[in-house]
Amino acid sequence: DVAHPFSLGMPTKKVCERITKTNPEICSVKFPVQTEKMEKKDLNKLRVKQLKSILADRGVECKGCVEKNEFIKKVQDTEHLANVEL
């Protein structure tokens, strides 16, 4: 049901619109980014959007953050707030 439209080259947004009719939760599933013991070089590979998402999951705002390095520093500074689920 999901793989066939992708194999035909249908855009993601269109696939989600179609699938949402039967299962509204399927396109809203997002997996958390694991940041445990990540080094700065690994965090540099993430997009700013992902860094913002990590901070939001921790309940932290990065007021005044403009540059990517500022977001990376904030993620590293709030490492202790990360939820570790096993």
Side-chain angles (χ1 to χ4, degrees):
D1 199 29
V2 176
H4 185 63
F6 280 119
S7 67
L8 297 175
M10 186 180 288
T12 308
K13 189 173 183 178
K14 193 77 166 169
V15 173
C16 279
E17 287 174 3
R18 182 179 286 179
I19 294 174
T20 300
K21 293 174 186 171
T22 57
N23 188 353
E25 296 174 349
I26 196 157
C27 288
S28 63
V29 174
K30 293 182 181 178
F31 296 99
V33 178
Q34 298 295 325
T35 59
E36 276 184 43
K37 301 175 186 173
M38 280 185 103
E39 295 181 22
K40 186 172 181 177
K41 66 179 181 178
D42 297 326
L43 290 172
N44 261 332
K45 295 177 184 177
L46 297 177
R47 295 175 181 253
V48 172
K49 184 176 183 178
Q50 292 172 308
L51 295 170
K52 286 181 179 179
S53 174
I54 292 168
L55 292 173
D57 290 344
R58 295 179 183 176
V60 177
E61 276 189 49
C62 193
K63 293 184 180 180
C65 294
V66 179
E67 298 292 323
K68 184 175 183 176
N69 287 332
E70 295 169 331
F71 286 101
I72 292 171
K73 180 162 178 18
K74 191 72 164 180
V75 167
Q76 290 175 326
D77 291 346
T78 60
E79 184 70 36
H80 65 282
L81 298 174
N83 291 338
V84 180
E85 296 178 13
L86 297 175

